[in-house]
DNA sequence: CTGAAAGCGCTAACAA
DNA sequence: TTGTTAGCGCTTTCAG
């Protein structure tokens, strides 16, 4: 087993000092091009690679980025935050960082402080989703670059990466109105969820702007959750009206599918009788018949943008607070257009 | 900004040497209990935490575990490997390790060698899924503990964590036979996939053991992939027979759903006319109507077991090769039992 | 059981 | 442009 080469071996073989080699390794200026070449050659010959822990100790930089998520966000069936996380992983790679993941309880607990913070093993932190203020305070107290993803804290000036929920809602509602719908219901479930609230606001705004009347009987805003059952309950509520809506905008796909389930159980024809638009573009929206029209969110991009911000902050040591709103896009499928084919599928099934 | 305490500060305040404090930190023996207490108290007072990079450099241990995955495995729609990865993340946490993730091409490329290997930034490596032999050779050459997950290499003796595909297939087929089926088809798609092959073998074995005749006309084994379309094609093939099977065992849920799609398009009654069992227990199997009976694989557990193995190997520096087969379980849903409710759902939809 | 001292491999002033 | 010299904070013999 050959000895692993160190920077010392490279320096020796090149008849140069450690610092010169170090300068080459780190692509620093003020190195003669010839010298650089020579050092590089020897590095390649020896198959030398600096050790992470050694440079970490010397430079006080770990080369890692922490990713913090509350456990309830992570255990959700929906891979929303998982996707964001994977987005950070891939982006981090291109910047020569690794992501260290950890989950914490929603409220701050000293016993749960991520080990990577205690051990100074990250150069910046990404926090995804809503977390307790205690966490924000603690992390800021560590004087590390921080970026929030899909969450905003008013009292603090922190860089954030957000979804354009308002625009998404607008696109969805515009689509329905453009298709001739005037009687449009909204399923929000628990609209205290920040994203859900924004989608609700977007819904109202667009309806108003387009001159389409709002009808409180067609709004389901008092759920405890934003789950399948809420969509189902919304359907119960809406179809109990004497005047029923012809189209539904659900604040997420899960509720939209719950709504569809109610209709299917009663043999009602989705899209022909009632058009449905969801939000999130989850996998299940593709498996369902008819496939669900929805608003696609580029989750991975949220993660990759967050990493880019963090990397900038680490490099420039700047405290410029940025707020990035990631656009969304409407994906039109059969739940909002009754083409001949779709109808036949419905009948067949 | 207060200065961050070091081991030196602790030693000074305790009027002890660095080494004694170090012994306490690392829970080593040969420390007077009184001394230990005293040191611990001061550590708590100061809020001291050893720095990862410092101990890393001194101990030549990074505190990280590498997770290697081929890019094609990861980009799949199925979150199978993502789940395994998350399993490793959570298990790693309980052992005070972090996971460093990276993807590589299937075949070895020197330019793609994970940075964490070059930089000696991991103490062990988990490889998930099938990878090129070149990678195995390279990683073994680094003399690091290795555990393979959902993959086995014959020519090498490496620790592995595998799914009990044979048992899963047996459970599925037993279930069908127990329900009175004698004419059972198999959808394998491309059975060169190791897992698929095992499921195929399990299918044949069980059929033979139970004395149920095999019929080549009801086997779909020549696909290029193991995707939706294969299930669809299998249906085309099986239903073209004069004598059609009454039950199907698909080597994965995706193909099972493809098969269901064919039946639905033709108004055929799933479970009443043809029962279907899948394998993997993917989300979509729950969204589909009727819901798919399938074999559940505890993906996260594959990951957590792999971590436990790696941690053992790192700690004991032992080279004992272990092979763990993780059990699976049959999940019975409506695609294999035609209750009144299910039938009505079918008719409604 | 505790202390002294020598690194681990690299970076970063500061000199030259 | 390159070399010298201190550390970074911890672990780990080896003495005592």
């Amino acid at each position: 087993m050959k000895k692993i080469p160190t920077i010392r071996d490279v320096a020796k073989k090149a008849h140069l000092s450690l610092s010169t080699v170090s300068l080459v390794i780190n692509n620093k200026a003020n190195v003669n091009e010839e010298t650089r070449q020579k050092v590089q050659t020897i590095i390649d010959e020896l198959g030398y690679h600096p050790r992470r822990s050694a440079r970490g100790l010397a430079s006080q930089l770990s080369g890692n980025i922490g990713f913090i998520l509350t456990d309830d966000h992570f255990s959700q069936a929906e891979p929303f935050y998982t996707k964001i996380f994977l987005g950070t992983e891939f982006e981090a790679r291109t910047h020569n960082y690794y992501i260290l993941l950890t989950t914490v309880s929603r409220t701050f607990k000293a016993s749960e402080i991520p080990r990577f913070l205690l051990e100074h093993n990250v150069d910046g932190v990404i926090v995804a989703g809503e977390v307790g203020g205690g966490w924000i305070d603690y992390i800021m107290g560590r004087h590390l670059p921080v970026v929030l993803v899909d969450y905003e804290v008013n009292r603090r000036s922190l860089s954030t990466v957000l979804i354009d929920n308002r625009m998404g809602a607008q696109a969805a509602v515009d689509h329905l109105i453009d298709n001739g719908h005037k009687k449009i219901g909204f399923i929000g479930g628990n609209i205290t969820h920040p994203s859900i609230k924004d989608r609700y606001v977007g819904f109202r705004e667009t309806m108003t702007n387009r001159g389409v009347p709002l009808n409180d009987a067609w709004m389901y805003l008092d759920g405890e959750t934003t789950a399948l059952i809420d969509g189902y309950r919304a359907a119960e509520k809406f179809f109990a009206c004497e005047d029923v809506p012809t189209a539904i905008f659900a604040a997420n796909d899960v509720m939209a599918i719950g709504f569809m389930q109610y209709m299917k159980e009663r043999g009602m024809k989705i899209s022909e009788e009632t058009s449905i638009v969801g939000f999130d573009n989850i996998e299940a929206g593709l498996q369902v018949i008819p496939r669900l029209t929805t608003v696609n969110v580029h989750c991975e991009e949220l993660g990759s943008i967050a990493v880019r911000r963090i990397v900038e902050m680490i490099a420039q040591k700047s405290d410029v607070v940025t707020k990035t709103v990631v656009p969304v896009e409407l994906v039109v499928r059969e739940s909002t257009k009754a083409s001949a084919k779709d109808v036949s599928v419905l009948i067949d099934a």
Side-chain angles (χ1 to χ4, degrees), chain A residues 5-14 16 18 21 46 48:
Chain A
T6 71
I7 192 173
R8 181 162 261 112
D9 299 320
V10 177
K12 207 165 286 173
K13 192 158 180 188
L16 286 166
L18 298 183
V21 177
L46 259 44
Y48 165 76

PDB file of all heavy atoms in Angstrom, chain A residues 5-14 16 18 21 46 48, chain C residues 8-11, chain D residues 5-7:
ATOM      1  N   PRO A   5       0.326  10.668  -1.232  1.00  0.00           N
ATOM      2  CA  PRO A   5       1.166  11.862  -1.367  1.00  0.00           C
ATOM      3  C   PRO A   5       0.554  13.069  -0.671  1.00  0.00           C
ATOM      4  O   PRO A   5      -0.662  13.235  -0.641  1.00  0.00           O
ATOM      5  CB  PRO A   5       1.227  12.075  -2.879  1.00  0.00           C
ATOM      6  CG  PRO A   5      -0.003  11.430  -3.404  1.00  0.00           C
ATOM      7  CD  PRO A   5      -0.285  10.277  -2.491  1.00  0.00           C
ATOM      8  N   THR A   6       1.406  13.909  -0.120  1.00  0.00           N
ATOM      9  CA  THR A   6       0.953  15.150   0.498  1.00  0.00           C
ATOM     10  C   THR A   6       1.512  16.320  -0.302  1.00  0.00           C
ATOM     11  O   THR A   6       2.322  16.137  -1.214  1.00  0.00           O
ATOM     12  CB  THR A   6       1.445  15.274   1.943  1.00  0.00           C
ATOM     13  OG1 THR A   6       2.849  15.522   1.919  1.00  0.00           O
ATOM     14  CG2 THR A   6       1.154  14.021   2.731  1.00  0.00           C
ATOM     15  N   ILE A   7       1.119  17.471   0.099  1.00  0.00           N
ATOM     16  CA  ILE A   7       1.592  18.658  -0.591  1.00  0.00           C
ATOM     17  C   ILE A   7       3.108  18.762  -0.459  1.00  0.00           C
ATOM     18  O   ILE A   7       3.797  19.285  -1.337  1.00  0.00           O
ATOM     19  CB  ILE A   7       0.903  19.921  -0.003  1.00  0.00           C
ATOM     20  CG1 ILE A   7       1.155  21.127  -0.893  1.00  0.00           C
ATOM     21  CG2 ILE A   7       1.370  20.179   1.421  1.00  0.00           C
ATOM     22  CD1 ILE A   7       0.374  22.349  -0.481  1.00  0.00           C
ATOM     23  N   ARG A   8       3.596  18.221   0.605  1.00  0.00           N
ATOM     24  CA  ARG A   8       5.040  18.227   0.868  1.00  0.00           C
ATOM     25  C   ARG A   8       5.778  17.416  -0.202  1.00  0.00           C
ATOM     26  O   ARG A   8       6.833  17.820  -0.690  1.00  0.00           O
ATOM     27  CB  ARG A   8       5.281  17.626   2.259  1.00  0.00           C
ATOM     28  CG  ARG A   8       6.715  17.595   2.687  1.00  0.00           C
ATOM     29  CD  ARG A   8       6.857  17.403   4.185  1.00  0.00           C
ATOM     30  NE  ARG A   8       7.086  18.658   4.869  1.00  0.00           N
ATOM     31  CZ  ARG A   8       6.239  19.250   5.694  1.00  0.00           C
ATOM     32  NH1 ARG A   8       5.066  18.699   5.939  1.00  0.00           N
ATOM     33  NH2 ARG A   8       6.534  20.389   6.260  1.00  0.00           N
ATOM     34  N   ASP A   9       5.196  16.266  -0.544  1.00  0.00           N
ATOM     35  CA  ASP A   9       5.810  15.434  -1.576  1.00  0.00           C
ATOM     36  C   ASP A   9       5.851  16.167  -2.906  1.00  0.00           C
ATOM     37  O   ASP A   9       6.839  16.085  -3.641  1.00  0.00           O
ATOM     38  CB  ASP A   9       5.011  14.134  -1.732  1.00  0.00           C
ATOM     39  CG  ASP A   9       4.997  13.333  -0.444  1.00  0.00           C
ATOM     40  OD1 ASP A   9       6.047  13.278   0.218  1.00  0.00           O
ATOM     41  OD2 ASP A   9       3.926  12.788  -0.096  1.00  0.00           O
ATOM     42  N   VAL A  10       4.785  16.871  -3.185  1.00  0.00           N
ATOM     43  CA  VAL A  10       4.725  17.614  -4.439  1.00  0.00           C
ATOM     44  C   VAL A  10       5.805  18.699  -4.433  1.00  0.00           C
ATOM     45  O   VAL A  10       6.562  18.853  -5.397  1.00  0.00           O
ATOM     46  CB  VAL A  10       3.340  18.267  -4.631  1.00  0.00           C
ATOM     47  CG1 VAL A  10       3.314  19.103  -5.900  1.00  0.00           C
ATOM     48  CG2 VAL A  10       2.257  17.204  -4.665  1.00  0.00           C
ATOM     49  N   ALA A  11       5.883  19.422  -3.325  1.00  0.00           N
ATOM     50  CA  ALA A  11       6.854  20.509  -3.218  1.00  0.00           C
ATOM     51  C   ALA A  11       8.273  19.972  -3.378  1.00  0.00           C
ATOM     52  O   ALA A  11       9.090  20.533  -4.117  1.00  0.00           O
ATOM     53  CB  ALA A  11       6.688  21.204  -1.881  1.00  0.00           C
ATOM     54  N   LYS A  12       8.522  18.882  -2.716  1.00  0.00           N
ATOM     55  CA  LYS A  12       9.858  18.291  -2.763  1.00  0.00           C
ATOM     56  C   LYS A  12      10.231  17.931  -4.191  1.00  0.00           C
ATOM     57  O   LYS A  12      11.267  18.317  -4.711  1.00  0.00           O
ATOM     58  CB  LYS A  12       9.883  17.045  -1.874  1.00  0.00           C
ATOM     59  CG  LYS A  12      11.243  16.714  -1.313  1.00  0.00           C
ATOM     60  CD  LYS A  12      11.118  15.721  -0.163  1.00  0.00           C
ATOM     61  CE  LYS A  12      10.576  16.394   1.097  1.00  0.00           C
ATOM     62  NZ  LYS A  12      10.281  15.424   2.175  1.00  0.00           N
ATOM     63  N   LYS A  13       9.339  17.221  -4.823  1.00  0.00           N
ATOM     64  CA  LYS A  13       9.613  16.756  -6.175  1.00  0.00           C
ATOM     65  C   LYS A  13       9.755  17.921  -7.155  1.00  0.00           C
ATOM     66  O   LYS A  13      10.473  17.828  -8.155  1.00  0.00           O
ATOM     67  CB  LYS A  13       8.484  15.823  -6.629  1.00  0.00           C
ATOM     68  CG  LYS A  13       8.809  15.070  -7.903  1.00  0.00           C
ATOM     69  CD  LYS A  13       7.978  13.821  -8.038  1.00  0.00           C
ATOM     70  CE  LYS A  13       8.321  13.086  -9.333  1.00  0.00           C
ATOM     71  NZ  LYS A  13       7.389  11.961  -9.579  1.00  0.00           N
ATOM     72  N   ALA A  14       9.052  19.000  -6.856  1.00  0.00           N
ATOM     73  CA  ALA A  14       9.099  20.153  -7.762  1.00  0.00           C
ATOM     74  C   ALA A  14      10.224  21.108  -7.378  1.00  0.00           C
ATOM     75  O   ALA A  14      10.453  22.103  -8.058  1.00  0.00           O
ATOM     76  CB  ALA A  14       7.763  20.876  -7.734  1.00  0.00           C
ATOM     77  N   LEU A  16      10.220  23.131  -4.961  1.00  0.00           N
ATOM     78  CA  LEU A  16       9.566  24.405  -4.663  1.00  0.00           C
ATOM     79  C   LEU A  16       9.072  24.353  -3.221  1.00  0.00           C
ATOM     80  O   LEU A  16       9.128  23.313  -2.565  1.00  0.00           O
ATOM     81  CB  LEU A  16       8.375  24.616  -5.602  1.00  0.00           C
ATOM     82  CG  LEU A  16       8.740  24.977  -7.054  1.00  0.00           C
ATOM     83  CD1 LEU A  16       7.537  24.817  -7.956  1.00  0.00           C
ATOM     84  CD2 LEU A  16       9.277  26.405  -7.123  1.00  0.00           C
ATOM     85  N   LEU A  18       6.199  24.763  -0.102  1.00  0.00           N
ATOM     86  CA  LEU A  18       4.818  24.373   0.119  1.00  0.00           C
ATOM     87  C   LEU A  18       3.855  25.449  -0.363  1.00  0.00           C
ATOM     88  O   LEU A  18       2.840  25.166  -0.989  1.00  0.00           O
ATOM     89  CB  LEU A  18       4.563  24.146   1.613  1.00  0.00           C
ATOM     90  CG  LEU A  18       5.350  23.046   2.326  1.00  0.00           C
ATOM     91  CD1 LEU A  18       4.884  22.940   3.769  1.00  0.00           C
ATOM     92  CD2 LEU A  18       5.147  21.728   1.603  1.00  0.00           C
ATOM     93  N   VAL A  21       3.172  25.594  -4.065  1.00  0.00           N
ATOM     94  CA  VAL A  21       2.283  24.506  -4.480  1.00  0.00           C
ATOM     95  C   VAL A  21       0.853  24.822  -4.048  1.00  0.00           C
ATOM     96  O   VAL A  21      -0.095  24.640  -4.814  1.00  0.00           O
ATOM     97  CB  VAL A  21       2.741  23.163  -3.865  1.00  0.00           C
ATOM     98  CG1 VAL A  21       1.768  22.056  -4.242  1.00  0.00           C
ATOM     99  CG2 VAL A  21       4.140  22.832  -4.324  1.00  0.00           C
ATOM    100  N   LEU A  46       1.902  12.369  -9.419  1.00  0.00           N
ATOM    101  CA  LEU A  46       1.782  11.766  -8.093  1.00  0.00           C
ATOM    102  C   LEU A  46       0.342  11.370  -7.762  1.00  0.00           C
ATOM    103  O   LEU A  46       0.103  10.610  -6.818  1.00  0.00           O
ATOM    104  CB  LEU A  46       2.283  12.755  -7.040  1.00  0.00           C
ATOM    105  CG  LEU A  46       3.684  12.559  -6.472  1.00  0.00           C
ATOM    106  CD1 LEU A  46       4.662  12.236  -7.598  1.00  0.00           C
ATOM    107  CD2 LEU A  46       4.136  13.824  -5.763  1.00  0.00           C
ATOM    108  N   TYR A  48      -1.797  13.469  -6.713  1.00  0.00           N
ATOM    109  CA  TYR A  48      -2.014  14.163  -5.444  1.00  0.00           C
ATOM    110  C   TYR A  48      -3.380  14.849  -5.380  1.00  0.00           C
ATOM    111  O   TYR A  48      -3.854  15.402  -6.362  1.00  0.00           O
ATOM    112  CB  TYR A  48      -0.916  15.211  -5.226  1.00  0.00           C
ATOM    113  CG  TYR A  48      -1.255  16.189  -4.141  1.00  0.00           C
ATOM    114  CD1 TYR A  48      -1.154  15.821  -2.810  1.00  0.00           C
ATOM    115  CD2 TYR A  48      -1.699  17.469  -4.444  1.00  0.00           C
ATOM    116  CE1 TYR A  48      -1.499  16.708  -1.807  1.00  0.00           C
ATOM    117  CE2 TYR A  48      -2.041  18.367  -3.458  1.00  0.00           C
ATOM    118  CZ  TYR A  48      -1.942  17.976  -2.140  1.00  0.00           C
ATOM    119  OH  TYR A  48      -2.291  18.840  -1.154  1.00  0.00           O
TER     120      TYR A  48
ATOM    121  P    DC C   8       3.121  13.972  10.309  1.00  0.00           P
ATOM    122  OP1  DC C   8       3.659  12.637   9.959  1.00  0.00           O
ATOM    123  OP2  DC C   8       3.644  15.181   9.670  1.00  0.00           O
ATOM    124  O5'  DC C   8       1.546  13.969  10.068  1.00  0.00           O
ATOM    125  C5'  DC C   8       0.684  12.951  10.569  1.00  0.00           C
ATOM    126  C4'  DC C   8      -0.736  13.416  10.358  1.00  0.00           C
ATOM    127  O4'  DC C   8      -1.128  14.268  11.444  1.00  0.00           O
ATOM    128  C3'  DC C   8      -0.901  14.230   9.083  1.00  0.00           C
ATOM    129  O3'  DC C   8      -1.414  13.383   8.062  1.00  0.00           O
ATOM    130  C2'  DC C   8      -1.907  15.325   9.449  1.00  0.00           C
ATOM    131  C1'  DC C   8      -1.990  15.278  10.979  1.00  0.00           C
ATOM    132  N1   DC C   8      -1.571  16.531  11.685  1.00  0.00           N
ATOM    133  C2   DC C   8      -2.411  17.104  12.646  1.00  0.00           C
ATOM    134  O2   DC C   8      -3.498  16.564  12.886  1.00  0.00           O
ATOM    135  N3   DC C   8      -2.005  18.234  13.278  1.00  0.00           N
ATOM    136  C4   DC C   8      -0.816  18.786  12.983  1.00  0.00           C
ATOM    137  N4   DC C   8      -0.460  19.890  13.644  1.00  0.00           N
ATOM    138  C5   DC C   8       0.052  18.211  12.015  1.00  0.00           C
ATOM    139  C6   DC C   8      -0.364  17.099  11.389  1.00  0.00           C
ATOM    140  P    DG C   9      -0.607  13.272   6.697  1.00  0.00           P
ATOM    141  OP1  DG C   9      -1.167  12.120   5.970  1.00  0.00           O
ATOM    142  OP2  DG C   9       0.843  13.375   6.938  1.00  0.00           O
ATOM    143  O5'  DG C   9      -1.056  14.603   5.948  1.00  0.00           O
ATOM    144  C5'  DG C   9      -2.427  14.792   5.657  1.00  0.00           C
ATOM    145  C4'  DG C   9      -2.637  16.237   5.260  1.00  0.00           C
ATOM    146  O4'  DG C   9      -2.348  17.088   6.376  1.00  0.00           O
ATOM    147  C3'  DG C   9      -1.749  16.712   4.115  1.00  0.00           C
ATOM    148  O3'  DG C   9      -2.603  17.212   3.112  1.00  0.00           O
ATOM    149  C2'  DG C   9      -0.878  17.782   4.739  1.00  0.00           C
ATOM    150  C1'  DG C   9      -1.725  18.260   5.905  1.00  0.00           C
ATOM    151  N9   DG C   9      -1.001  18.838   7.015  1.00  0.00           N
ATOM    152  C8   DG C   9       0.224  18.449   7.499  1.00  0.00           C
ATOM    153  N7   DG C   9       0.619  19.156   8.535  1.00  0.00           N
ATOM    154  C5   DG C   9      -0.415  20.063   8.750  1.00  0.00           C
ATOM    155  C6   DG C   9      -0.552  21.080   9.721  1.00  0.00           C
ATOM    156  O6   DG C   9       0.228  21.377  10.623  1.00  0.00           O
ATOM    157  N1   DG C   9      -1.755  21.770   9.579  1.00  0.00           N
ATOM    158  C2   DG C   9      -2.696  21.507   8.617  1.00  0.00           C
ATOM    159  N2   DG C   9      -3.783  22.269   8.638  1.00  0.00           N
ATOM    160  N3   DG C   9      -2.582  20.560   7.692  1.00  0.00           N
ATOM    161  C4   DG C   9      -1.420  19.873   7.812  1.00  0.00           C
ATOM    162  P    DC C  10      -2.119  17.986   1.870  1.00  0.00           P
ATOM    163  OP1  DC C  10      -3.011  17.637   0.753  1.00  0.00           O
ATOM    164  OP2  DC C  10      -0.667  17.832   1.727  1.00  0.00           O
ATOM    165  O5'  DC C  10      -2.441  19.482   2.282  1.00  0.00           O
ATOM    166  C5'  DC C  10      -3.814  19.834   2.452  1.00  0.00           C
ATOM    167  C4'  DC C  10      -3.916  21.154   3.170  1.00  0.00           C
ATOM    168  O4'  DC C  10      -3.067  21.116   4.314  1.00  0.00           O
ATOM    169  C3'  DC C  10      -3.475  22.359   2.360  1.00  0.00           C
ATOM    170  O3'  DC C  10      -4.640  23.026   1.871  1.00  0.00           O
ATOM    171  C2'  DC C  10      -2.713  23.224   3.341  1.00  0.00           C
ATOM    172  C1'  DC C  10      -2.723  22.445   4.645  1.00  0.00           C
ATOM    173  N1   DC C  10      -1.413  22.423   5.323  1.00  0.00           N
ATOM    174  C2   DC C  10      -1.197  23.299   6.382  1.00  0.00           C
ATOM    175  O2   DC C  10      -2.097  24.082   6.709  1.00  0.00           O
ATOM    176  N3   DC C  10      -0.001  23.273   7.010  1.00  0.00           N
ATOM    177  C4   DC C  10       0.947  22.412   6.631  1.00  0.00           C
ATOM    178  N4   DC C  10       2.112  22.424   7.299  1.00  0.00           N
ATOM    179  C5   DC C  10       0.752  21.520   5.549  1.00  0.00           C
ATOM    180  C6   DC C  10      -0.436  21.560   4.923  1.00  0.00           C
ATOM    181  P    DT C  11      -4.442  24.320   0.956  1.00  0.00           P
ATOM    182  OP1  DT C  11      -5.697  24.458   0.197  1.00  0.00           O
ATOM    183  OP2  DT C  11      -3.146  24.267   0.283  1.00  0.00           O
ATOM    184  O5'  DT C  11      -4.376  25.484   2.042  1.00  0.00           O
ATOM    185  C5'  DT C  11      -5.499  25.726   2.866  1.00  0.00           C
ATOM    186  C4'  DT C  11      -5.242  26.945   3.727  1.00  0.00           C
ATOM    187  O4'  DT C  11      -4.069  26.724   4.553  1.00  0.00           O
ATOM    188  C3'  DT C  11      -5.006  28.235   2.978  1.00  0.00           C
ATOM    189  O3'  DT C  11      -5.703  29.237   3.697  1.00  0.00           O
ATOM    190  C2'  DT C  11      -3.490  28.435   3.057  1.00  0.00           C
ATOM    191  C1'  DT C  11      -3.174  27.809   4.412  1.00  0.00           C
ATOM    192  N1   DT C  11      -1.807  27.237   4.593  1.00  0.00           N
ATOM    193  C2   DT C  11      -1.079  27.597   5.703  1.00  0.00           C
ATOM    194  O2   DT C  11      -1.479  28.396   6.532  1.00  0.00           O
ATOM    195  N3   DT C  11       0.137  26.996   5.818  1.00  0.00           N
ATOM    196  C4   DT C  11       0.703  26.078   4.951  1.00  0.00           C
ATOM    197  O4   DT C  11       1.812  25.592   5.169  1.00  0.00           O
ATOM    198  C5   DT C  11      -0.110  25.742   3.803  1.00  0.00           C
ATOM    199  C7   DT C  11       0.416  24.765   2.806  1.00  0.00           C
ATOM    200  C6   DT C  11      -1.314  26.330   3.673  1.00  0.00           C
TER     201       DT C  11
ATOM    202  P    DT D   5      12.537  29.435   8.391  1.00  0.00           P
ATOM    203  OP1  DT D   5      13.592  29.997   9.246  1.00  0.00           O
ATOM    204  OP2  DT D   5      12.529  27.993   8.040  1.00  0.00           O
ATOM    205  O5'  DT D   5      11.120  29.788   9.031  1.00  0.00           O
ATOM    206  C5'  DT D   5      10.717  31.157   9.083  1.00  0.00           C
ATOM    207  C4'  DT D   5       9.339  31.264   9.705  1.00  0.00           C
ATOM    208  O4'  DT D   5       8.312  31.016   8.721  1.00  0.00           O
ATOM    209  C3'  DT D   5       9.095  30.271  10.846  1.00  0.00           C
ATOM    210  O3'  DT D   5       8.541  30.987  11.934  1.00  0.00           O
ATOM    211  C2'  DT D   5       8.101  29.278  10.263  1.00  0.00           C
ATOM    212  C1'  DT D   5       7.333  30.170   9.292  1.00  0.00           C
ATOM    213  N1   DT D   5       6.644  29.461   8.168  1.00  0.00           N
ATOM    214  C2   DT D   5       5.427  29.951   7.724  1.00  0.00           C
ATOM    215  O2   DT D   5       4.890  30.921   8.202  1.00  0.00           O
ATOM    216  N3   DT D   5       4.878  29.252   6.690  1.00  0.00           N
ATOM    217  C4   DT D   5       5.411  28.131   6.067  1.00  0.00           C
ATOM    218  O4   DT D   5       4.820  27.585   5.139  1.00  0.00           O
ATOM    219  C5   DT D   5       6.681  27.671   6.585  1.00  0.00           C
ATOM    220  C7   DT D   5       7.330  26.471   5.989  1.00  0.00           C
ATOM    221  C6   DT D   5       7.239  28.346   7.604  1.00  0.00           C
ATOM    222  P    DA D   6       8.896  30.483  13.422  1.00  0.00           P
ATOM    223  OP1  DA D   6       9.910  31.357  14.026  1.00  0.00           O
ATOM    224  OP2  DA D   6       9.120  29.017  13.393  1.00  0.00           O
ATOM    225  O5'  DA D   6       7.491  30.731  14.120  1.00  0.00           O
ATOM    226  C5'  DA D   6       6.425  30.004  13.590  1.00  0.00           C
ATOM    227  C4'  DA D   6       5.184  30.869  13.507  1.00  0.00           C
ATOM    228  O4'  DA D   6       4.663  30.733  12.166  1.00  0.00           O
ATOM    229  C3'  DA D   6       4.118  30.342  14.445  1.00  0.00           C
ATOM    230  O3'  DA D   6       3.239  31.369  14.810  1.00  0.00           O
ATOM    231  C2'  DA D   6       3.431  29.292  13.592  1.00  0.00           C
ATOM    232  C1'  DA D   6       3.548  29.858  12.188  1.00  0.00           C
ATOM    233  N9   DA D   6       3.769  28.802  11.195  1.00  0.00           N
ATOM    234  C8   DA D   6       4.803  27.916  11.111  1.00  0.00           C
ATOM    235  N7   DA D   6       4.710  27.074  10.098  1.00  0.00           N
ATOM    236  C5   DA D   6       3.529  27.444   9.478  1.00  0.00           C
ATOM    237  C6   DA D   6       2.858  26.945   8.348  1.00  0.00           C
ATOM    238  N6   DA D   6       3.318  25.934   7.620  1.00  0.00           N
ATOM    239  N1   DA D   6       1.694  27.541   8.008  1.00  0.00           N
ATOM    240  C2   DA D   6       1.240  28.562   8.743  1.00  0.00           C
ATOM    241  N3   DA D   6       1.787  29.125   9.827  1.00  0.00           N
ATOM    242  C4   DA D   6       2.937  28.506  10.142  1.00  0.00           C
ATOM    243  P    DG D   7       2.378  31.152  16.108  1.00  0.00           P
ATOM    244  OP1  DG D   7       1.013  31.745  15.972  1.00  0.00           O
ATOM    245  OP2  DG D   7       3.251  31.592  17.222  1.00  0.00           O
ATOM    246  O5'  DG D   7       2.312  29.541  16.139  1.00  0.00           O
ATOM    247  C5'  DG D   7       1.071  28.903  16.418  1.00  0.00           C
ATOM    248  C4'  DG D   7       0.057  29.186  15.313  1.00  0.00           C
ATOM    249  O4'  DG D   7       0.647  28.819  14.045  1.00  0.00           O
ATOM    250  C3'  DG D   7      -1.210  28.359  15.469  1.00  0.00           C
ATOM    251  O3'  DG D   7      -2.317  29.203  15.395  1.00  0.00           O
ATOM    252  C2'  DG D   7      -1.190  27.365  14.308  1.00  0.00           C
ATOM    253  C1'  DG D   7      -0.230  28.009  13.315  1.00  0.00           C
ATOM    254  N9   DG D   7       0.537  26.959  12.644  1.00  0.00           N
ATOM    255  C8   DG D   7       1.738  26.422  13.056  1.00  0.00           C
ATOM    256  N7   DG D   7       2.201  25.512  12.236  1.00  0.00           N
ATOM    257  C5   DG D   7       1.247  25.445  11.231  1.00  0.00           C
ATOM    258  C6   DG D   7       1.199  24.634  10.069  1.00  0.00           C
ATOM    259  O6   DG D   7       2.014  23.789   9.702  1.00  0.00           O
ATOM    260  N1   DG D   7       0.048  24.873   9.315  1.00  0.00           N
ATOM    261  C2   DG D   7      -0.923  25.784   9.642  1.00  0.00           C
ATOM    262  N2   DG D   7      -1.939  25.876   8.804  1.00  0.00           N
ATOM    263  N3   DG D   7      -0.895  26.552  10.708  1.00  0.00           N
ATOM    264  C4   DG D   7       0.219  26.333  11.457  1.00  0.00           C
TER     265       DG D   7
END
